[in-house]
């Protein structure tokens, strides 16, 4: 490791894999955990206390759908008591009357609400949940009425990329402070559905132009974050700010990982909270130290002027496409296998053309996210 180890400042807590939606782009692993494997209330509170002591300043409460945890108010209050900023990442369906107000009273700082489409038909087809769009609109209203800041999250793929202008108008109409245009990253269920989700290059370029113009036009009114699609990139993003550099995530069963897809690197063994403390895992875990800093890098990363900008990019993407987690991220133009990204795009678009020619509705090609499907995919 070539730089001093600093304490983490951010944490993603996947409280559960349970979810009322079945989105085919979900980044959860295809081997979804059932409720009986989730950490109990006291263990999560103990973990959060250790996270605060370690230096964590913000925790993103996610899933699955975190509001399915009946103890969510307690978990928020526990984090708030340690001065930790809390962001609730929710699908916004099935939240009982009065609960959002209870989250605010417990100390919640922010809500990030996902919309699968800017229109009801798209939202309900992608999430496979009837009436979901209207429920999300109501959740947004209740969030703002409770005085909580609101981010609208728009996961973008082939089936909703044409709705980007409408997502912008939706965020404005809901009084959101922030809109995240997040092109789908292909891990978990999204990787299984890659051929069904991949947009074409022209659509991506139109999207980038629309977002750029809106960012300029709405400066000071709506903060628009744009997560670029890796498969169309020239240089990779610093995944999670760099492997185990300033953030980590915890799975529902307490497994601690450098990022949400790290479990796909089968050569690494990830430890569970309780078997060791968070501090021990952060500092000493062989899996966390495997790709920290720059010493692990191969060429061309080792000699690249960007090595401390993107920190090698995504290790999980290197594993998925190059077959080696230490390889240069294939999203990088300097990668020996960068051309494979273009081939994967072409294959996905060819598959889409074949489905369209056969007259199949788009959803027929989806493998929807559901626990019952994991046995077929394992």
């Amino acid at each position: 490791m070539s730089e001093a180890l600093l304490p983490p400042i951010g944490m993603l807590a996947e409280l559960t894999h349970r979810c009322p939606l079945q989105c085919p782009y979900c980044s959860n692993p295809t081997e979804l955990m059932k409720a009986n494997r989730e950490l109990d209330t006291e263990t999560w509170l103990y973990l959060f206390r250790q996270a605060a002591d370690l230096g964590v300043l913000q925790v993103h409460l996610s899933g699955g759908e975190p509001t399915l945890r009946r103890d969510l108010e307690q978990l928020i209050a526990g984090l708030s008591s340690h001065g930790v900023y809390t962001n609730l990442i929710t699908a916004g369906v099935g939240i009982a009357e009065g609960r959002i107000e209870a989250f605010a009273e417990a100390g919640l700082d922010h809500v990030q609400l996902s919309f699968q489409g800017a229109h009801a038909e798209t939202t309900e087809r992608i999430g496979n949940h009837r009436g979901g769009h209207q429920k999300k609109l109501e959740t947004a209203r209740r969030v703002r009425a409770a005085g909580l800041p609101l981010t609208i999250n728009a996961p973008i793929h082939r089936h909703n990329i044409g709705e980007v202008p409408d997502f912008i108008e939706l965020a404005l109409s809901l009084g959101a402070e922030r809109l995240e245009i997040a092109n789908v990253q292909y891990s978990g269920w999204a990787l299984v559905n890659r051929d069904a989700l991949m947009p074409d290059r022209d659509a991506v370029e139109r999207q980038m132009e629309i977002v750029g113009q809106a960012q300029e036009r709405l400066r000071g009114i709506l903060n628009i974050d744009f997560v670029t699609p890796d498969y169309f990139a020239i240089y990779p993003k610093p995944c999670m700010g760099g492997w185990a550099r300033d953030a980590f995530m915890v799975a529902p069963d307490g497994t601690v990982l450098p990022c949400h897809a790290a479990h796909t690197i089968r050569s690494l063994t990830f430890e569970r909270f309780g078997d060791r403390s968070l501090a021990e895992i952060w500092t000493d875990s062989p899996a966390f130290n495997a790709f920290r800093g720059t010493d692990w890098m191969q060429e061309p990363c080792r000699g690249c002027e960007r090595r401390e900008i993107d920190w090698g990019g995504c290790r999980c993407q290197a594993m998925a496409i190059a077959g080696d987690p230490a390889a240069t991220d294939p999203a990088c133009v300097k990668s020996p296998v960068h051309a494979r990204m273009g081939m994967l795009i072409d294959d996905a678009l060819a598959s889409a053309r074949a489905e369209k020619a056969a007259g199949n509705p788009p959803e027929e090609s989806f493998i929807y996210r559901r626990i019952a499907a994991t046995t077929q995919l394992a």
Side-chain angles (χ1 to χ4, degrees):
M1 188 171 62
S2 56
E3 63 170 0
L5 178 60
L6 299 174
I9 60 173
M11 170 183 163
L12 174 65
E14 288 190 344
L15 302 178
T16 181
H17 280 164
R18 292 172 287 146
C19 187
L21 303 188
Q22 298 179 352
C23 304
Y25 64 79
C26 182
S27 62
N28 280 162
T30 55
E31 297 178 19
L32 294 167
M33 297 180 194
K34 296 184 178 180
N36 61 2
R37 295 180 61 188
E38 296 171 13
L39 297 182
D40 61 24
T41 307
E42 291 307 314
T43 305
W44 272 117
L45 290 172
Y46 185 40
L47 187 156
F48 290 150
R49 184 160 65 248
Q50 287 198 16
D53 290 343
L54 188 56
V56 168
L57 301 176
Q58 55 183 351
V59 169
H60 304 277
L61 299 165
S62 182
E65 175 49 55
T67 62
L68 292 178
R69 292 279 306 211
R70 296 179 180 177
D71 58 359
L72 185 54
E73 291 87 340
Q74 286 179 264
L75 300 182
I76 292 169
L79 286 163
S80 181
S81 70
H82 297 295
V84 176
Y85 183 94
T86 50
N87 173 39
L88 174 62
I89 303 173
T90 179
V93 300
I95 303 176
E97 189 74 33
R99 262 202 112 188
I100 289 172
E101 294 77 8
F103 298 154
E105 187 175 344
L108 184 66
D109 293 295
H110 183 272
V111 174
Q112 183 172 323
L113 174 62
S114 66
F115 276 82
Q116 287 65 48
H119 306 289
E121 180 183 1
T122 310
T123 297
E124 292 166 18
R125 174 162 52 85
I126 300 300
N128 203 24
H129 185 89
R130 184 174 297 177
H133 194 81
Q134 189 59 42
K135 294 173 185 176
K136 290 170 183 287
L137 295 175
E138 176 61 18
T139 294
R141 186 195 67 77
R142 288 161 55 192
V143 167
R144 299 302 291 127
L148 290 167
L150 175 66
T151 289
I152 298 301
N153 176 254
I156 301 298
H157 46 79
R158 180 192 307 156
H159 303 281
N160 65 6
I161 195 167
E163 297 181 13
V164 167
D166 300 326
F167 275 118
I168 294 168
E169 293 307 313
L170 176 66
L172 288 169
S173 71
L174 294 175
E177 285 86 357
R178 179 172 166 264
L179 168 65
E180 183 176 343
I181 301 290
N183 285 269
V184 166
Q185 307 297 303
Y186 294 100
S187 63
W189 290 86
L191 183 58
V192 172
N193 286 286
R194 182 171 57 194
D195 283 0
L197 296 171
M198 186 80 71
D200 63 57
R201 190 172 297 277
D202 287 345
V204 170
E205 290 176 356
R206 286 195 301 272
Q207 172 197 219
M208 293 174 70
E209 183 178 353
I210 290 167
V211 171
Q213 291 173 353
Q215 286 173 324
E216 185 65 29
R217 174 170 55 90
L218 298 172
R219 192 180 305 277
I221 300 171
L222 177 67
N223 182 17
I224 303 177
D225 289 344
F226 183 62
V227 180
T228 55
D230 286 347
Y231 280 53
F232 297 86
I234 297 175
Y235 296 115
K237 296 187 289 292
C239 183
M240 293 284 288
W243 181 276
R245 192 163 175 270
D246 60 16
F248 63 93
M249 66 86 63
V250 181
D253 67 347
T255 301
V256 186
L257 303 132
C259 74
H260 66 276
H263 65 276
T264 61
I265 303 177
R266 302 294 187 180
S267 59
L268 299 179
T269 300
F270 299 100
E271 299 171 90
R272 289 182 61 189
F273 175 73
D275 298 334
R276 299 183 82 193
S277 69
L278 273 186
E280 288 171 328
I281 294 171
W282 177 256
T283 304
D284 300 326
S285 168
F288 272 61
N289 286 321
F291 303 114
R292 259 189 178 130
T294 59
D295 289 348
W296 60 272
M297 291 181 178
Q298 306 172 358
E299 293 294 351
C301 292
R302 181 179 289 274
C304 181
E305 69 279 1
R306 294 180 56 85
R307 66 184 178 275
E308 293 187 4
I309 297 174
D310 57 41
W311 301 98
C314 180
R315 300 300 88 224
C316 306
Q317 192 156 259
M319 181 72 243
I321 297 174
D324 178 5
T328 300
D329 186 337
C332 182
V333 71
K334 298 182 181 183
S335 165
V337 298
H338 180 67
R340 290 186 193 174
M341 303 294 267
M343 294 169 61
L344 289 168
I345 294 169
D346 291 342
D347 289 347
L349 297 180
S351 175
R353 286 192 292 270
E355 290 287 333
K356 185 175 182 180
N360 295 329
E363 60 268 24
E364 285 194 4
S365 60
F366 293 155
I367 299 175
Y368 282 109
R369 174 205 187 278
R370 53 172 73 98
I371 289 179
T374 59
T375 55
Q376 301 169 19
L377 298 169

